[in-house]
Amino acid sequence: MKKLDHYFYNRADVVNIARELLGKVLVTQWDGAVTSGRIVETEAYRGITDRASHAWNCRRTRRTEIMYEEGGKGYVYLCYGIHHLFNVVTNIKDTPHAVLVRAVEPLEGISTMLQRTGKIKADRTLTSGPGNVSKALGLLVSHSGISLLEEAVFIADDGYALKKKDIVATTRIGVDYAGEDALLPYRFFIRDNIYVSGRRQ
């Protein structure tokens, strides 16, 4: 596997990056455990001009400050006080773009994933949905700001190839509050993959 480099994350088109992350492998390794999954669903968030983004209208808070760093870092936030959601920060410094990883297909460390999630069986719910992804891979809010260019958390290309017809683009999930921006086709997933979450599959 070849780890994605600084250039991959620092490009300007977050929508294209979200699409290109499909098929890549998200890896976490700490405490003697390695877990990984193939990314099968993503959502792009286009910063200050995107009403669905945490950084819309130049909003800067202690939580979102990491989005304004240069691309190649992880942004993990707590949703509903329960779910830790993992995002990939992209673009250059002070341009707060990010990609939410909504689902992965488990590859390595499935027994560890089951232990972390309290599940007995490795069915589709293990890593379907962004909260489940983070739980299975051990990603927490405390990892927000972590570099994806180092060893603890990274994304790699293992040569897996997708055809254009295998990639589906739809509107994002759970952002109805964003008005017209809720209709943007910024969600991408691999067609017919059982781990894809939510509606409009």
Side-chain angles (χ1 to χ4, degrees):
M1 292 197 301
K2 182 179 180 182
K3 191 184 302 180
L4 299 184
D5 61 15
H6 181 270
Y7 169 77
F8 181 92
Y9 299 110
N10 279 260
R11 293 174 294 157
D13 190 345
V14 67
V15 177
N16 188 51
I17 292 172
R19 187 186 297 110
E20 290 184 3
L21 280 170
L22 291 180
K24 303 298 189 293
V25 179
L26 175 58
V27 180
T28 65
Q29 43 189 14
W30 45 61
D31 299 330
V34 178
T35 51
S36 68
R38 190 173 309 285
I39 298 172
V40 299
E41 182 182 3
T42 61
E43 285 179 347
Y45 289 86
R46 200 190 281 274
I48 65 174
T49 62
D50 182 353
R51 286 177 174 81
S53 170
H54 290 168
W56 177 67
N57 200 28
C58 299
R59 185 184 302 132
R60 292 182 87 140
T61 66
R62 178 188 238 173
R63 179 179 75 167
T64 64
E65 192 62 31
I66 186 58
M67 296 179 71
Y68 289 86
E69 294 296 320
E70 66 176 355
K73 291 183 171 64
Y75 166 42
V76 188
Y77 68 89
L78 201 60
C79 182
Y80 304 128
I82 302 171
H83 305 294
H84 299 251
L85 306 191
F86 174 76
N87 299 257
V88 176
V89 176
T90 69
N91 215 311
I92 60 174
K93 186 175 175 62
D94 292 325
T95 303
H97 290 175
V99 177
L100 172 66
V101 177
R102 287 196 56 91
V104 305
E105 181 176 336
L107 295 176
E108 188 174 5
I110 292 175
S111 61
T112 299
M113 295 184 192
L114 290 171
Q115 185 177 21
R116 286 171 177 162
T117 59
K119 294 181 181 293
I120 298 172
K121 184 179 175 184
D123 59 19
R124 69 174 296 274
T125 66
L126 183 61
T127 51
S128 176
N132 290 330
V133 169
S134 294
K135 197 168 186 179
L137 294 179
L139 291 160
L140 304 169
V141 168
S142 58
H143 295 117
S144 195
I146 197 166
S147 172
L148 303 181
L149 305 177
E150 297 180 7
E151 298 304 315
V153 184
F154 62 90
I155 301 173
D157 186 343
D158 68 347
Y160 182 83
L162 278 171
K163 296 179 180 178
K164 192 172 182 180
K165 67 180 180 61
D166 295 327
I167 298 175
V168 181
T170 71
T171 55
R172 294 170 292 189
I173 293 174
V175 296
D176 294 342
Y177 59 84
E180 290 183 0
D181 288 348
L183 304 177
L184 294 169
Y186 284 0
R187 173 182 174 233
F188 301 95
F189 61 85
I190 297 177
R191 188 185 302 277
D192 298 328
N193 188 282
I194 65 168
Y195 292 94
V196 172
S197 69
R199 52 186 166 81
R200 297 191 296 276
Q201 292 187 36

